[in-house]
Amino acid sequence: MRTIHAVTALAVTAALLGGCTSGSSPSPAPASAAPASNGVADLSASAILERARGALATATSFRVRGGVFHDAIYDGQGRGEDPQLWSVDVRIAGTDAAGWTAIGASKQESIIVGDKRYLRASEQILAQTVGPERARALTRERGGRWVTLPRRQRVFGDFVTAAYVDGLIKPKATVTKGAGKVIDGIPAIAVIDSGRTPTTVYVAITGEPYPVRLERAELEGLSFTEFGVAFPQIQAPPAADVVGPGKKPA
């Protein structure tokens, strides 16, 4: 009988302990840590842009998308000149690049790799680079192929480079800090340049202090994304799809 009583007591004790365990509240899951600040929000406006330009210069690659009035100058009452709005989508890796720029329906694609530039453009845009007659001839001859040009040749509309982007965010006059804003999920702080072409640059305040957005008056706005991404688009097109500037395709 003593053995039965002992076993029963142990069973009751275990049940009570088990009940306490199952009824206890689970430990709360640890809260996810917020992204660490990179410290730029505490800097002066000019120092923020300096950090942003430095981060951009060391980025192995990035993408630029949006619209910009190339070479536009504002006089305080609007654009002092009347350039056209360019739509752009360009991937940049060092001094190489691939992408397109367009004015309305007139579009050109460009690839810059090593010492070669490959261009596939509408006749209207191509005429600004090689002249109307040659543009007509190339448009007939190429059949959708790329035209190869020396890298150093100036090409109308092919202006989006790392140096060009750096020039956009380089301060031209007095700069001031603006409000914070989340850009595509990235917390950022605004830096406002009050120069002849008023510009607002948003700089990431977590992670690398990359510029993530540039805004100007009217329709202008550029987004900077995909930092450090490997872009397979930045490579020379197949030789069979390329036409030299002075020869017909085979």
Side-chain angles (χ1 to χ4, degrees):
M1 294 294 293
R2 288 180 182 177
T3 303
I4 295 174
H5 289 162
V7 171
T8 303
L10 288 172
V12 171
T13 303
L16 290 173
L17 290 174
C20 291
T21 301
S22 61
S24 61
S25 300
S27 300
S32 58
S37 168
N38 56 25
V40 298
D42 299 325
L43 301 177
S44 66
S46 59
I48 293 173
L49 287 186
E50 184 177 350
R51 289 281 302 277
R53 293 178 66 202
L56 187 70
T58 57
T60 56
S61 63
F62 61 96
R63 186 177 183 179
V64 185
R65 284 181 288 182
V68 62
F69 286 102
H70 185 38
D71 289 335
I73 297 176
Y74 293 81
D75 59 8
Q77 299 179 345
R79 281 177 282 113
E81 301 175 4
D82 192 27
Q84 292 179 291
L85 180 70
W86 286 90
S87 299
V88 306
D89 186 354
V90 180
R91 295 169 173 86
I92 297 172
T95 57
D96 294 341
W100 58 264
T101 56
I103 300 178
S106 296
K107 179 180 179 180
Q108 74 172 355
E109 299 168 88
S110 174
I111 301 174
I112 302 174
V113 178
D115 63 350
K116 293 288 183 66
R117 179 193 297 271
Y118 304 91
L119 193 68
R120 186 160 60 184
S122 67
E123 181 178 330
Q124 295 88 341
I125 289 183
L126 193 59
Q128 302 296 323
T129 299
V130 299
E133 287 189 25
R134 189 63 190 138
R136 281 194 294 272
L138 283 172
T139 300
R140 289 195 305 268
E141 295 167 2
R142 63 183 178 164
R145 293 175 171 87
W146 296 82
V147 176
T148 181
L149 299 169
R151 180 191 183 101
R152 295 182 179 275
Q153 180 166 339
R154 291 180 61 86
V155 173
F156 175 74
D158 190 16
F159 55 86
V160 182
T161 63
Y164 172 76
V165 174
D166 178 68
L168 288 177
I169 66 176
K170 181 179 180 180
K172 312 296 189 301
T174 301
V175 291
T176 56
K177 290 166 68 172
K181 186 176 182 180
V182 176
I183 307 291
D184 295 329
I186 300 173
I189 188 167
V191 178
I192 303 163
D193 187 333
S194 59
R196 292 185 65 191
T197 307
T199 302
T200 300
V201 179
Y202 289 93
V203 178
I205 60 174
T206 60
E208 290 293 327
Y210 292 128
V212 293
R213 178 75 180 168
L214 178 144
E215 294 178 352
R216 286 180 174 172
E218 301 181 29
L219 301 175
E220 291 186 276
L222 294 173
S223 295
F224 309 108
T225 60
E226 298 177 49
F227 289 93
V229 173
F231 294 132
Q233 296 88 347
I234 304 178
Q235 61 178 320
D241 293 338
V242 176
V243 179
K247 62 180 181 181
K248 296 182 179 181

mmCIF file of all heavy atoms in Angstrom, residues 25-70:
data_model
loop_
_atom_site.group_PDB
_atom_site.id
_atom_site.type_symbol
_atom_site.label_atom_id
_atom_site.label_comp_id
_atom_site.label_asym_id
_atom_site.label_seq_id
_atom_site.Cartn_x
_atom_site.Cartn_y
_atom_site.Cartn_z
ATOM 1 N N SER A 25 3.502 31.394 -19.620
ATOM 2 C CA SER A 25 3.594 32.163 -20.859
ATOM 3 C C SER A 25 4.950 31.929 -21.519
ATOM 4 O O SER A 25 5.977 31.888 -20.842
ATOM 5 C CB SER A 25 3.446 33.670 -20.567
ATOM 6 O OG SER A 25 2.193 33.914 -19.975
ATOM 7 N N PRO A 26 4.981 31.767 -22.859
ATOM 8 C CA PRO A 26 6.270 31.567 -23.544
ATOM 9 C C PRO A 26 7.116 32.829 -23.463
ATOM 10 O O PRO A 26 6.600 33.946 -23.383
ATOM 11 C CB PRO A 26 5.848 31.262 -24.991
ATOM 12 C CG PRO A 26 4.492 31.888 -25.125
ATOM 13 C CD PRO A 26 3.843 31.759 -23.779
ATOM 14 N N SER A 27 8.409 32.631 -23.508
ATOM 15 C CA SER A 27 9.320 33.788 -23.475
ATOM 16 C C SER A 27 9.109 34.632 -24.720
ATOM 17 O O SER A 27 8.967 34.094 -25.826
ATOM 18 C CB SER A 27 10.771 33.308 -23.427
ATOM 19 O OG SER A 27 10.977 32.513 -22.270
ATOM 20 N N PRO A 28 9.031 35.937 -24.557
ATOM 21 C CA PRO A 28 8.820 36.788 -25.739
ATOM 22 C C PRO A 28 10.001 36.702 -26.701
ATOM 23 O O PRO A 28 11.148 36.595 -26.276
ATOM 24 C CB PRO A 28 8.713 38.199 -25.125
ATOM 25 C CG PRO A 28 9.416 38.098 -23.809
ATOM 26 C CD PRO A 28 9.182 36.700 -23.320
ATOM 27 N N ALA A 29 9.688 36.722 -28.000
ATOM 28 C CA ALA A 29 10.753 36.694 -29.008
ATOM 29 C C ALA A 29 11.521 38.000 -28.958
ATOM 30 O O ALA A 29 10.938 39.065 -28.758
ATOM 31 C CB ALA A 29 10.139 36.496 -30.400
ATOM 32 N N PRO A 30 12.824 37.918 -29.117
ATOM 33 C CA PRO A 30 13.605 39.159 -29.085
ATOM 34 C C PRO A 30 13.192 40.091 -30.208
ATOM 35 O O PRO A 30 12.952 39.677 -31.339
ATOM 36 C CB PRO A 30 15.056 38.671 -29.284
ATOM 37 C CG PRO A 30 14.927 37.317 -29.918
ATOM 38 C CD PRO A 30 13.657 36.742 -29.389
ATOM 39 N N ALA A 31 13.088 41.369 -29.897
ATOM 40 C CA ALA A 31 12.699 42.350 -30.902
ATOM 41 C C ALA A 31 13.810 42.503 -31.932
ATOM 42 O O ALA A 31 14.989 42.472 -31.602
ATOM 43 C CB ALA A 31 12.433 43.694 -30.227
ATOM 44 N N SER A 32 13.403 42.622 -33.217
ATOM 45 C CA SER A 32 14.410 42.800 -34.267
ATOM 46 C C SER A 32 15.028 44.179 -34.128
ATOM 47 O O SER A 32 14.337 45.175 -33.923
ATOM 48 C CB SER A 32 13.756 42.652 -35.643
ATOM 49 O OG SER A 32 12.715 43.591 -35.794
ATOM 50 N N ALA A 33 16.333 44.207 -34.259
ATOM 51 C CA ALA A 33 17.063 45.460 -34.086
ATOM 52 C C ALA A 33 16.837 46.367 -35.285
ATOM 53 O O ALA A 33 16.832 45.918 -36.428
ATOM 54 C CB ALA A 33 18.544 45.165 -33.911
ATOM 55 N N ALA A 34 16.615 47.630 -35.027
ATOM 56 C CA ALA A 34 16.467 48.607 -36.108
ATOM 57 C C ALA A 34 17.828 48.807 -36.769
ATOM 58 O O ALA A 34 18.873 48.652 -36.137
ATOM 59 C CB ALA A 34 15.957 49.922 -35.542
ATOM 60 N N PRO A 35 17.841 49.135 -38.080
ATOM 61 C CA PRO A 35 19.120 49.370 -38.747
ATOM 62 C C PRO A 35 19.918 50.451 -38.023
ATOM 63 O O PRO A 35 19.370 51.473 -37.603
ATOM 64 C CB PRO A 35 18.692 49.829 -40.148
ATOM 65 C CG PRO A 35 17.313 49.295 -40.336
ATOM 66 C CD PRO A 35 16.688 49.293 -38.977
ATOM 67 N N ALA A 36 21.186 50.218 -37.897
ATOM 68 C CA ALA A 36 22.033 51.167 -37.173
ATOM 69 C C ALA A 36 22.224 52.435 -37.995
ATOM 70 O O ALA A 36 22.360 52.390 -39.218
ATOM 71 C CB ALA A 36 23.376 50.528 -36.869
ATOM 72 N N SER A 37 22.218 53.555 -37.311
ATOM 73 C CA SER A 37 22.455 54.836 -37.973
ATOM 74 C C SER A 37 23.901 54.910 -38.459
ATOM 75 O O SER A 37 24.815 54.394 -37.810
ATOM 76 C CB SER A 37 22.172 55.980 -37.001
ATOM 77 O OG SER A 37 22.650 57.206 -37.517
ATOM 78 N N ASN A 38 24.093 55.536 -39.609
ATOM 79 C CA ASN A 38 25.464 55.730 -40.099
ATOM 80 C C ASN A 38 26.041 57.085 -39.667
ATOM 81 O O ASN A 38 27.161 57.420 -40.031
ATOM 82 C CB ASN A 38 25.532 55.595 -41.623
ATOM 83 C CG ASN A 38 24.581 56.552 -42.344
ATOM 84 O OD1 ASN A 38 24.212 57.596 -41.815
ATOM 85 N ND2 ASN A 38 24.193 56.198 -43.558
ATOM 86 N N GLY A 39 25.254 57.854 -38.929
ATOM 87 C CA GLY A 39 25.744 59.091 -38.348
ATOM 88 C C GLY A 39 25.616 60.332 -39.200
ATOM 89 O O GLY A 39 25.856 61.444 -38.715
ATOM 90 N N VAL A 40 25.210 60.203 -40.458
ATOM 91 C CA VAL A 40 25.196 61.389 -41.321
ATOM 92 C C VAL A 40 24.105 62.380 -40.927
ATOM 93 O O VAL A 40 24.236 63.588 -41.187
ATOM 94 C CB VAL A 40 25.055 61.018 -42.819
ATOM 95 C CG1 VAL A 40 26.211 60.184 -43.299
ATOM 96 C CG2 VAL A 40 23.732 60.329 -43.095
ATOM 97 N N ALA A 41 23.032 61.896 -40.298
ATOM 98 C CA ALA A 41 21.951 62.809 -39.910
ATOM 99 C C ALA A 41 22.431 63.859 -38.915
ATOM 100 O O ALA A 41 21.819 64.925 -38.797
ATOM 101 C CB ALA A 41 20.784 62.016 -39.329
ATOM 102 N N ASP A 42 23.511 63.572 -38.213
ATOM 103 C CA ASP A 42 24.039 64.517 -37.224
ATOM 104 C C ASP A 42 25.061 65.483 -37.815
ATOM 105 O O ASP A 42 25.545 66.383 -37.124
ATOM 106 C CB ASP A 42 24.696 63.747 -36.066
ATOM 107 C CG ASP A 42 23.712 62.846 -35.331
ATOM 108 O OD1 ASP A 42 22.539 63.250 -35.213
ATOM 109 O OD2 ASP A 42 24.111 61.751 -34.906
ATOM 110 N N LEU A 43 25.389 65.308 -39.086
ATOM 111 C CA LEU A 43 26.403 66.155 -39.718
ATOM 112 C C LEU A 43 25.772 67.399 -40.328
ATOM 113 O O LEU A 43 24.554 67.508 -40.463
ATOM 114 C CB LEU A 43 27.124 65.362 -40.812
ATOM 115 C CG LEU A 43 27.844 64.075 -40.389
ATOM 116 C CD1 LEU A 43 28.440 63.385 -41.610
ATOM 117 C CD2 LEU A 43 28.916 64.364 -39.347
ATOM 118 N N SER A 44 26.614 68.351 -40.721
ATOM 119 C CA SER A 44 26.134 69.530 -41.445
ATOM 120 C C SER A 44 25.706 69.112 -42.842
ATOM 121 O O SER A 44 26.074 68.029 -43.336
ATOM 122 C CB SER A 44 27.243 70.576 -41.541
ATOM 123 O OG SER A 44 28.309 70.100 -42.354
ATOM 124 N N ALA A 45 24.955 69.963 -43.510
ATOM 125 C CA ALA A 45 24.460 69.649 -44.854
ATOM 126 C C ALA A 45 25.610 69.400 -45.826
ATOM 127 O O ALA A 45 25.584 68.443 -46.607
ATOM 128 C CB ALA A 45 23.575 70.788 -45.355
ATOM 129 N N SER A 46 26.629 70.243 -45.779
ATOM 130 C CA SER A 46 27.760 70.070 -46.701
ATOM 131 C C SER A 46 28.516 68.781 -46.408
ATOM 132 O O SER A 46 28.971 68.090 -47.328
ATOM 133 C CB SER A 46 28.700 71.277 -46.625
ATOM 134 O OG SER A 46 29.181 71.447 -45.312
ATOM 135 N N ALA A 47 28.642 68.435 -45.117
ATOM 136 C CA ALA A 47 29.334 67.196 -44.749
ATOM 137 C C ALA A 47 28.543 65.973 -45.192
ATOM 138 O O ALA A 47 29.122 64.946 -45.578
ATOM 139 C CB ALA A 47 29.582 67.167 -43.252
ATOM 140 N N ILE A 48 27.210 66.061 -45.151
ATOM 141 C CA ILE A 48 26.380 64.947 -45.616
ATOM 142 C C ILE A 48 26.621 64.687 -47.100
ATOM 143 O O ILE A 48 26.813 63.541 -47.530
ATOM 144 C CB ILE A 48 24.893 65.226 -45.354
ATOM 145 C CG1 ILE A 48 24.606 65.258 -43.855
ATOM 146 C CG2 ILE A 48 24.018 64.165 -46.033
ATOM 147 C CD1 ILE A 48 23.189 65.695 -43.510
ATOM 148 N N LEU A 49 26.638 65.754 -47.901
ATOM 149 C CA LEU A 49 26.875 65.579 -49.335
ATOM 150 C C LEU A 49 28.282 65.074 -49.605
ATOM 151 O O LEU A 49 28.498 64.280 -50.528
ATOM 152 C CB LEU A 49 26.636 66.894 -50.077
ATOM 153 C CG LEU A 49 25.174 67.334 -50.234
ATOM 154 C CD1 LEU A 49 25.086 68.568 -51.109
ATOM 155 C CD2 LEU A 49 24.328 66.206 -50.825
ATOM 156 N N GLU A 50 29.233 65.498 -48.808
ATOM 157 C CA GLU A 50 30.607 65.013 -48.974
ATOM 158 C C GLU A 50 30.670 63.508 -48.722
ATOM 159 O O GLU A 50 31.313 62.765 -49.468
ATOM 160 C CB GLU A 50 31.545 65.747 -48.021
ATOM 161 C CG GLU A 50 33.009 65.373 -48.188
ATOM 162 C CD GLU A 50 33.926 66.169 -47.288
ATOM 163 O OE1 GLU A 50 33.452 67.147 -46.662
ATOM 164 O OE2 GLU A 50 35.120 65.819 -47.186
ATOM 165 N N ARG A 51 29.977 63.055 -47.669
ATOM 166 C CA ARG A 51 29.944 61.624 -47.384
ATOM 167 C C ARG A 51 29.220 60.866 -48.509
ATOM 168 O O ARG A 51 29.631 59.760 -48.892
ATOM 169 C CB ARG A 51 29.234 61.371 -46.047
ATOM 170 C CG ARG A 51 30.012 61.792 -44.812
ATOM 171 C CD ARG A 51 31.079 60.779 -44.434
ATOM 172 N NE ARG A 51 30.527 59.461 -44.191
ATOM 173 C CZ ARG A 51 29.983 59.065 -43.039
ATOM 174 N NH1 ARG A 51 29.933 59.912 -42.005
ATOM 175 N NH2 ARG A 51 29.532 57.845 -42.896
ATOM 176 N N ALA A 52 28.140 61.448 -49.019
ATOM 177 C CA ALA A 52 27.381 60.797 -50.087
ATOM 178 C C ALA A 52 28.222 60.664 -51.353
ATOM 179 O O ALA A 52 28.216 59.616 -52.012
ATOM 180 C CB ALA A 52 26.102 61.577 -50.378
ATOM 181 N N ARG A 53 28.954 61.707 -51.680
ATOM 182 C CA ARG A 53 29.805 61.662 -52.873
ATOM 183 C C ARG A 53 30.921 60.644 -52.700
ATOM 184 O O ARG A 53 31.297 59.940 -53.641
ATOM 185 C CB ARG A 53 30.376 63.039 -53.169
ATOM 186 C CG ARG A 53 29.326 64.061 -53.581
ATOM 187 C CD ARG A 53 29.958 65.424 -53.816
ATOM 188 N NE ARG A 53 30.862 65.378 -54.962
ATOM 189 C CZ ARG A 53 31.854 66.256 -55.160
ATOM 190 N NH1 ARG A 53 32.071 67.213 -54.267
ATOM 191 N NH2 ARG A 53 32.619 66.164 -56.224
ATOM 192 N N GLY A 54 31.449 60.549 -51.485
ATOM 193 C CA GLY A 54 32.487 59.561 -51.220
ATOM 194 C C GLY A 54 31.965 58.140 -51.349
ATOM 195 O O GLY A 54 32.629 57.267 -51.925
ATOM 196 N N ALA A 55 30.754 57.903 -50.823
ATOM 197 C CA ALA A 55 30.153 56.573 -50.920
ATOM 198 C C ALA A 55 29.869 56.216 -52.378
ATOM 199 O O ALA A 55 30.078 55.073 -52.808
ATOM 200 C CB ALA A 55 28.873 56.517 -50.092
ATOM 201 N N LEU A 56 29.392 57.191 -53.142
ATOM 202 C CA LEU A 56 29.105 56.959 -54.554
ATOM 203 C C LEU A 56 30.388 56.627 -55.321
ATOM 204 O O LEU A 56 30.405 55.737 -56.171
ATOM 205 C CB LEU A 56 28.439 58.190 -55.163
ATOM 206 C CG LEU A 56 27.925 58.054 -56.596
ATOM 207 C CD1 LEU A 56 26.716 57.140 -56.641
ATOM 208 C CD2 LEU A 56 27.563 59.421 -57.162
ATOM 209 N N ALA A 57 31.471 57.322 -54.994
ATOM 210 C CA ALA A 57 32.739 57.114 -55.699
ATOM 211 C C ALA A 57 33.303 55.722 -55.449
ATOM 212 O O ALA A 57 33.995 55.166 -56.314
ATOM 213 C CB ALA A 57 33.749 58.180 -55.278
ATOM 214 N N THR A 58 33.031 55.154 -54.288
ATOM 215 C CA THR A 58 33.579 53.833 -53.962
ATOM 216 C C THR A 58 32.612 52.697 -54.282
ATOM 217 O O THR A 58 32.978 51.529 -54.152
ATOM 218 C CB THR A 58 33.966 53.764 -52.472
ATOM 219 O OG1 THR A 58 32.821 54.058 -51.664
ATOM 220 C CG2 THR A 58 35.074 54.767 -52.158
ATOM 221 N N ALA A 59 31.391 53.024 -54.686
ATOM 222 C CA ALA A 59 30.421 51.978 -55.049
ATOM 223 C C ALA A 59 30.890 51.272 -56.314
ATOM 224 O O ALA A 59 31.265 51.921 -57.293
ATOM 225 C CB ALA A 59 29.035 52.586 -55.265
ATOM 226 N N THR A 60 30.869 49.963 -56.307
ATOM 227 C CA THR A 60 31.306 49.220 -57.485
ATOM 228 C C THR A 60 30.308 49.328 -58.631
ATOM 229 O O THR A 60 30.681 49.197 -59.799
ATOM 230 C CB THR A 60 31.515 47.734 -57.143
ATOM 231 O OG1 THR A 60 30.303 47.204 -56.577
ATOM 232 C CG2 THR A 60 32.649 47.573 -56.132
ATOM 233 N N SER A 61 29.044 49.581 -58.293
ATOM 234 C CA SER A 61 28.018 49.718 -59.329
ATOM 235 C C SER A 61 26.774 50.336 -58.725
ATOM 236 O O SER A 61 26.585 50.324 -57.506
ATOM 237 C CB SER A 61 27.671 48.348 -59.926
ATOM 238 O OG SER A 61 27.111 47.503 -58.933
ATOM 239 N N PHE A 62 25.917 50.883 -59.585
ATOM 240 C CA PHE A 62 24.608 51.373 -59.166
ATOM 241 C C PHE A 62 23.766 51.649 -60.403
ATOM 242 O O PHE A 62 24.262 51.632 -61.537
ATOM 243 C CB PHE A 62 24.723 52.641 -58.295
ATOM 244 C CG PHE A 62 25.374 53.817 -58.966
ATOM 245 C CD1 PHE A 62 24.622 54.804 -59.574
ATOM 246 C CD2 PHE A 62 26.763 53.951 -58.968
ATOM 247 C CE1 PHE A 62 25.215 55.900 -60.188
ATOM 248 C CE2 PHE A 62 27.372 55.040 -59.570
ATOM 249 C CZ PHE A 62 26.608 56.018 -60.186
ATOM 250 N N ARG A 63 22.478 51.906 -60.171
ATOM 251 C CA ARG A 63 21.538 52.143 -61.263
ATOM 252 C C ARG A 63 20.881 53.499 -61.092
ATOM 253 O O ARG A 63 20.534 53.905 -59.978
ATOM 254 C CB ARG A 63 20.472 51.049 -61.275
ATOM 255 C CG ARG A 63 19.507 51.107 -62.460
ATOM 256 C CD ARG A 63 18.552 49.926 -62.400
ATOM 257 N NE ARG A 63 17.646 49.877 -63.555
ATOM 258 C CZ ARG A 63 16.737 48.936 -63.732
ATOM 259 N NH1 ARG A 63 16.614 47.944 -62.853
ATOM 260 N NH2 ARG A 63 15.953 48.960 -64.807
ATOM 261 N N VAL A 64 20.702 54.212 -62.201
ATOM 262 C CA VAL A 64 20.073 55.534 -62.211
ATOM 263 C C VAL A 64 18.816 55.457 -63.070
ATOM 264 O O VAL A 64 18.877 55.026 -64.230
ATOM 265 C CB VAL A 64 21.012 56.603 -62.806
ATOM 266 C CG1 VAL A 64 20.391 57.986 -62.694
ATOM 267 C CG2 VAL A 64 22.371 56.577 -62.130
ATOM 268 N N ARG A 65 17.676 55.897 -62.523
ATOM 269 C CA ARG A 65 16.423 55.889 -63.275
ATOM 270 C C ARG A 65 15.627 57.153 -62.982
ATOM 271 O O ARG A 65 15.658 57.651 -61.853
ATOM 272 C CB ARG A 65 15.576 54.675 -62.905
ATOM 273 C CG ARG A 65 16.017 53.378 -63.493
ATOM 274 C CD ARG A 65 15.115 52.228 -63.111
ATOM 275 N NE ARG A 65 15.278 51.840 -61.727
ATOM 276 C CZ ARG A 65 14.627 50.827 -61.153
ATOM 277 N NH1 ARG A 65 13.742 50.144 -61.850
ATOM 278 N NH2 ARG A 65 14.836 50.520 -59.896
ATOM 279 N N GLY A 66 14.929 57.649 -63.997
ATOM 280 C CA GLY A 66 14.061 58.795 -63.776
ATOM 281 C C GLY A 66 14.044 59.732 -64.959
ATOM 282 O O GLY A 66 14.168 59.314 -66.115
ATOM 283 N N GLY A 67 13.883 61.022 -64.661
ATOM 284 C CA GLY A 67 13.821 62.031 -65.704
ATOM 285 C C GLY A 67 14.610 63.254 -65.298
ATOM 286 O O GLY A 67 14.632 63.639 -64.122
ATOM 287 N N VAL A 68 15.267 63.893 -66.272
ATOM 288 C CA VAL A 68 16.088 65.053 -65.976
ATOM 289 C C VAL A 68 16.172 65.946 -67.214
ATOM 290 O O VAL A 68 16.244 65.470 -68.346
ATOM 291 C CB VAL A 68 17.509 64.631 -65.526
ATOM 292 C CG1 VAL A 68 18.242 63.877 -66.624
ATOM 293 C CG2 VAL A 68 18.330 65.806 -65.034
ATOM 294 N N PHE A 69 16.112 67.259 -66.978
ATOM 295 C CA PHE A 69 16.366 68.221 -68.044
ATOM 296 C C PHE A 69 17.869 68.404 -68.128
ATOM 297 O O PHE A 69 18.469 69.097 -67.307
ATOM 298 C CB PHE A 69 15.683 69.566 -67.750
ATOM 299 C CG PHE A 69 14.197 69.550 -67.935
ATOM 300 C CD1 PHE A 69 13.352 69.476 -66.837
ATOM 301 C CD2 PHE A 69 13.631 69.594 -69.192
ATOM 302 C CE1 PHE A 69 11.969 69.463 -66.990
ATOM 303 C CE2 PHE A 69 12.254 69.575 -69.364
ATOM 304 C CZ PHE A 69 11.427 69.514 -68.260
ATOM 305 N N HIS A 70 18.494 67.757 -69.093
ATOM 306 C CA HIS A 70 19.949 67.811 -69.214
ATOM 307 C C HIS A 70 20.401 69.233 -69.532
ATOM 308 O O HIS A 70 19.869 69.895 -70.425
ATOM 309 C CB HIS A 70 20.412 66.872 -70.331
ATOM 310 C CG HIS A 70 21.895 66.773 -70.463
ATOM 311 N ND1 HIS A 70 22.744 66.771 -69.381
ATOM 312 C CD2 HIS A 70 22.682 66.663 -71.564
ATOM 313 C CE1 HIS A 70 23.990 66.660 -69.806
ATOM 314 N NE2 HIS A 70 23.969 66.604 -71.125
#
